[in-house]
Structures are given as structure tokens and as C-alpha cells.
């Protein structure tokens, strides 16, 4: 069996990285397991994106910065071992991401197969909250993949990302109890759209269409800065200004995170 990689220094030798704000990619095909693991991680302050199989995981890791990947083994389309090997073949930072297996398998040799595929560690299912958070903390890199956004660090600055009157009108037009669910759906869809926009091989025609749609939906939900950036991106695409379009599309994922942080500061997003 392959030798287990050396584990990072214990907290006594190196300060333990903080979980708050760390971006985790959870690769899991079971909706129930997605819900449980996401709840554990978000309660600890992590940002969590979910991929339902290995193919989605590879695409996500190629387009957005993550601090760590939690990888199920048995999944449709592409299993976790195959996905891990594919990720390890990518250049940094995607190719060097810490990858922790999460599997219900308990057969002898499963841990060794995970390590041989390029994973760093292994957590057995059902997932224990303390074990999950301890393992994630152990393998997180010292510095976050994405520095804390101004909206997260400064609620007053984050409020600038939102259009208050638009949100007030939405609260009147919709059932007030329904608004957080609608905003959650908007953020989930927008995160997926931001990944497509930020993809290095995005087709220019697709980029323009995605920017056009984002401009409208972000405006509808009062995400003022995001809508403005999408409008400028659409304009740059139409003008054929590839340099400006490239700079703008790289900003979109950060602006989506800023909008999400601002919604949270207003109590509109869990």
C-alpha cells in the first residue's frame, strides 16, 4: 500500500487555521448527506459549494478558488477516486488542493486506496461533526484561498452592495417569510452563473448572454454592485473589449460573495 502522506504539524507547532470564511467544495451525490455536512460546515463559518459528482467537482475546482475538497467515493458520472486523480493532474492551485475522502466504505484497504489516489485524509460515514471539523481544520492551508471580502469584514461597507429600497419593495411584494428562501435560490443560481462567467474557456457569446441575465436578476434582488458589474461586462463583450471583459468576469465571483455577505448582514440569508 502507498505510504500515508505526512500530516501537518499539530496546533502546538503551528497556529490552527480559522474555519471562518474558508471556502470548501463538498462533493457528494446524496441530498441528505449534502444537507448534513453543509450544515456542520456553515455553522463553523465556512462557505460551502456543492458538487454532485466528480465531473462537477473538477469543473468547480478549475474555475473557483477553494481551500479544501471533501470528496465522496461512490458517485454517478465520475467516482471520487477518479476525480481525485484528475484533480491531481491539474496545475496549482487546483492540483494541490487538500482532498479529504468521505465514504461509507469500511473495508480493509479503502483508506490506502484513497491515499494512493492522491487524497490527504479519510473520514468515515456517518460523518461525526467534531471529527469533520477537526480534520478540515488540520488540512486547511495557512492562508485562505480568497481573502475576506470587505462586505464580510465591514457590514457598513457591505450594505453598499445592496439597494435597500429594492429589497424593501421585495419584502412588500413577497411574503416576508418567503424572501430569505427566494434570496437563497438567487444566490445558489448566481454562484453557478459566476462559475460559468469566470471559466477561462468561456465562449464570448455565452459570456455576453450570462452577463445580460446576471444584470437583470441581480438588479431584481437589489444586488446593486453585482448588477452594475454585469452591465459593464455585457457592454465590454458587445464592444469586443476582451481586456476589460476579462478583468470584469474575474471580479464577478467576489461580487457574488460580497452580495451574499451583505444579505447575511441584513438577516436575509442564513
Amino acid at each position: 500500500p502507498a505510504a500515508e502522506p505526512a500530516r501537518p504539524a499539530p496546533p502546538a507547532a503551528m497556529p490552527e487555521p480559522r474555519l471562518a470564511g474558508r471556502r470548501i467544495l463538498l462533493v457528494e451525490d446524496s441530498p441528505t448527506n449534502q444537507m448534513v455536512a453543509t450544515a456542520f460546515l456553515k455553522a463553523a463559518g465556512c462557505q460551502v459549494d456543492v458538487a454532485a459528482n466528480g465531473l462537477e467537482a473538477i469543473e468547480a475546482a478549475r474555475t473557483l478558488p477553494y481551500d479544501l475538497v471533501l470528496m465522496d467515493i461512490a458517485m454517478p458520472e465520475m467516482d471520487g477516486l477518479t476525480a481525485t486523480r484528475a484533480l491531481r493532474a491539474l496545475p496549482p492551485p487546483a492540483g494541490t488542493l487538500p482532498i479529504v475522502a468521505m465514504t461509507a466504505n469500511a473495508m480493509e484497504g479503502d483508506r490506502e486506496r484513497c491515499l494512493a489516489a492522491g487524497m490527504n485524509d479519510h473520514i468515515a460515514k456517518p460523518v461525526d461533526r467534531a471529527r469533520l471539523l477537526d480534520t478540515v481544520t488540520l488540512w486547511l492551508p495557512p492562508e485562505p484561498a480568497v481573502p475576506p471580502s470587505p462586505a464580510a469584514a465591514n457590514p457598513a461597507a457591505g450594505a453598499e452592495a445592496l439597494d435597500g429600497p429594492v429589497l424593501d419593495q421585495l419584502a412588500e411584494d413577497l411574503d416576508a417569510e418567503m424572501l430569505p428562501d427566494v434570496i437563497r435560490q438567487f444566490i445558489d443560481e448566481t454562484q453557478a452563473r459566476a462559475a460559468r462567467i469566470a471559466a477561462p474557456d468561456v465562449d464570448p457569446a455565452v459570456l455576453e448572454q450570462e452577463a445580460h441575465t446576471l444584470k437583470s436578476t441581480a438588479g431584481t434582488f437589489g444586488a446593486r454592485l453585482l448588477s452594475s458589474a454585469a452591465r459593464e461586462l455585457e457592454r465590454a463583450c458587445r464592444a469586443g473589449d476582451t481586456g476589460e471583459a476579462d478583468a470584469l468576469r474575474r471580479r464577478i465571483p467576489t461580487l457574488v460573495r460580497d452580495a451574499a455577505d451583505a444579505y447575511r448582514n441584513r438577516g436575509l440569508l442564513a
Side-chain angles (χ1 to χ4, degrees):
E4 179 176 351
R7 295 170 73 87
M14 180 178 69
E16 185 173 282
R18 293 171 57 238
L19 286 170
R22 293 306 189 104
R23 194 173 186 88
I24 308 297
L25 178 60
L26 173 64
V27 190
E28 168 66 64
D29 66 316
S30 164
T32 300
N33 290 338
Q34 290 174 4
M35 181 176 64
V36 171
T38 297
F40 288 162
L41 293 164
K42 286 189 173 181
C46 297
Q47 300 180 61
V48 184
D49 291 343
V50 177
N53 58 59
L55 292 175
E56 292 182 9
I58 294 168
E59 183 61 25
R62 289 178 59 224
T63 56
L64 291 174
Y66 290 99
D67 293 295
L68 182 140
V69 179
L70 288 167
M71 183 77 75
D72 187 21
I73 300 301
M75 295 181 291
E77 302 294 333
M78 179 183 288
D79 65 78
L81 296 178
T82 303
T84 297
R85 295 186 189 100
L87 285 172
R88 289 293 179 240
L90 296 176
T96 55
L97 277 171
I99 302 175
V100 175
M102 293 201 312
T103 175
N105 294 340
M107 297 175 61
E108 184 178 355
D110 283 334
R111 178 180 174 83
E112 286 71 19
R113 279 188 284 273
C114 291
L115 297 175
M119 295 179 173
N120 299 89
D121 212 332
H122 175 279
I123 301 173
K125 294 180 184 178
V127 174
D128 174 77
R129 178 183 180 277
R131 169 66 172 161
L132 173 66
L133 298 182
D134 286 348
T135 304
V136 168
T137 299
L138 179 66
W139 288 102
L140 282 172
E143 298 297 327
V146 179
S149 67
N154 185 346
E160 299 175 2
L162 301 181
D163 189 325
V166 170
L167 290 173
D168 292 341
Q169 187 63 51
L170 276 175
E172 289 185 17
D173 295 340
L174 299 172
D175 184 331
E177 294 182 357
M178 182 188 302
L179 185 56
D181 291 335
V182 175
I183 288 176
R184 163 51 60 194
Q185 182 175 352
F186 162 67
I187 287 295
D188 288 345
E189 293 177 356
T190 302
Q191 286 174 335
R193 177 165 285 113
R196 294 192 293 271
I197 287 173
D201 55 352
V202 61
D203 181 88
V206 172
L207 180 61
E208 182 179 340
Q209 182 57 49
E210 293 281 14
H212 175 79
T213 302
L214 179 58
K215 173 189 69 176
S216 175
T217 56
T220 297
F221 287 94
R224 177 168 50 196
L225 297 184
L226 180 59
S227 179
S228 177
R231 182 181 299 108
E232 290 302 307
L233 176 57
E234 181 185 22
R235 181 197 58 75
C237 290
R238 289 179 175 174
D241 189 340
T242 56
E244 184 176 2
D246 188 58
L248 284 165
R249 71 177 183 80
R250 291 176 182 275
R251 284 187 59 214
I252 294 296
T254 298
L255 290 174
V256 174
R257 290 192 292 272
D258 288 348
D261 288 334
Y263 286 130
R264 291 188 186 95
N265 290 335
R266 286 180 65 104
L268 294 173
L269 190 65

